[in-house]
Amino acid sequence: VESDDARIRARIAQRMGMFKRAEAIEALLQTLKDRNGAVRYETLMALGELEAKLSNEQKTALREQARSMVADDHGGARQEAQVRVESFVNGWLNEANTLALNAQLAEADSLFHHALAYFSQSKHAAYQLGRFYFDNGQPEKGRDVLRRNGMLLDVPRLSQTPKIDGRLSDAVWEQAARADSTYKFFWGENFAATRSEVQSSFRVGYTAEALFIGFVGYDDHPDSLVTKVTEIDNTQDGDLRSSGV
């Protein structure tokens, strides 16, 4: 896709995908290396539209190019690259699950590991491998996989009930397990977990009577938030109080 103007290159790539021009596939694969992030993004999107027309060799080239772009400095290109790679990984995971259902456990184990090794950032692959071990009599091994990949939180027992006042400044909350989330998940066809621009965090702990979860959500414009305060007592599941802060 040739032009000195990046906006024109991006528009050309977009139109090639929109009109599903198979003759442009090779040029688009080369354009994935364009110096402009917006062009790389539109090119990935176009190749996604043309995926059914790609040869096996072209699919392999797209897969490797997408994997090299999962840390792209352009947010859109980075996200789309991760979606692309996760779609490839999910194919292996589906095959591994089929092997497991057919009691071909060694083959399934090997394919699960292959998928996670191919894209070590895949939360979906890590979860599927952990679940595989849980379902096949190796729960400790499953927990280890989830813990190594940041998907398992060890929750402590609290010394007493924390203060429920819409804040997490009470000393008891400091005893709780803390997790900071910087990911947003796209559950559906691609299972991608890409980094979020806004962070959130939560605390979890329990006593003999209850499980306590405290959540902090960050917003660049808190003055625009609309809040409500409600109090619901004597519910079927016990005493529930919630407040918006």
Side-chain angles (χ1 to χ4, degrees):
V1 180
E2 295 183 2
S3 173
D4 292 335
D5 190 328
R7 293 172 299 178
I8 294 176
R9 297 199 302 277
R11 180 64 63 86
I12 292 172
Q14 181 189 52
R15 292 302 176 89
M16 293 300 100
M18 182 184 301
F19 295 111
K20 294 182 168 51
R21 302 294 295 270
E23 65 270 25
I25 290 174
E26 286 298 329
L28 288 170
L29 286 170
Q30 293 299 316
T31 306
L32 286 175
K33 300 176 183 178
D34 194 278
R35 62 186 179 277
N36 183 273
V39 177
R40 295 193 298 274
Y41 168 67
E42 292 295 350
T43 302
L44 268 178
M45 296 291 287
L47 286 165
E49 293 294 328
L50 287 161
E51 188 169 2
K53 297 185 177 183
L54 268 60
S55 67
N56 288 335
E57 183 179 342
Q58 289 168 337
K59 287 178 181 179
T60 299
L62 174 58
R63 184 177 67 197
E64 293 306 313
Q65 283 277 61
R67 186 165 66 149
S68 72
M69 294 172 65
V70 295
D72 198 280
D73 57 10
H74 184 275
R78 180 172 62 249
Q79 180 172 300
E80 185 61 23
Q82 292 182 14
V83 167
R84 292 276 91 212
V85 173
E86 286 283 10
S87 71
F88 301 132
V89 167
N90 197 53
W92 290 323
L93 297 177
N94 288 337
E95 186 179 344
N97 280 315
T98 299
L99 290 169
L101 288 172
N102 291 326
Q104 296 175 264
L105 301 185
E107 293 88 345
D109 192 340
S110 177
L111 194 51
F112 277 125
H113 277 94
H114 171 73
L116 189 55
Y118 183 81
F119 186 39
S120 61
Q121 301 172 46
S122 175
K123 299 296 183 183
H124 184 49
Y127 171 78
Q128 289 288 316
L129 178 58
R131 178 64 184 267
F132 168 74
Y133 287 133
F134 269 100
D135 290 345
N136 290 282
Q138 301 182 74
E140 286 301 323
K141 199 168 183 179
R143 290 189 189 95
D144 287 343
V145 170
L146 297 179
R147 188 176 284 111
R148 285 199 309 270
N149 287 277
M151 303 183 72
L152 182 66
L153 192 64
D154 295 303
V155 178
R157 181 165 180 164
L158 305 176
S159 61
Q160 62 187 76
T161 300
K163 186 181 294 184
I164 308 299
D165 60 358
R167 302 177 183 277
L168 300 181
S169 55
D170 179 40
V172 180
W173 281 114
E174 294 299 321
Q175 302 171 19
R178 174 172 178 166
D180 296 318
S181 176
T182 55
Y183 292 93
K184 53 186 177 183
F185 292 84
F186 294 87
W187 296 109
E189 294 183 0
N190 56 64
F191 298 97
T194 61
R195 289 200 170 273
S196 173
E197 296 175 0
V198 180
Q199 189 180 43
S200 60
S201 65
F202 63 93
R203 310 278 180 86
V204 186
Y206 72 95
T207 65
E209 291 77 27
L211 175 69
F212 296 92
I213 301 175
F215 175 79
V216 179
Y218 295 90
D219 192 288
D220 290 336
H221 303 286
D223 55 326
S224 66
L225 294 175
V226 177
T227 65
K228 294 181 179 180
V229 178
T230 62
E231 187 167 320
I232 306 172
D233 293 313
N234 299 317
T235 65
Q236 183 177 356
D237 296 321
D239 183 20
L240 173 64
R241 293 184 176 84
S242 63
S243 63
V245 179

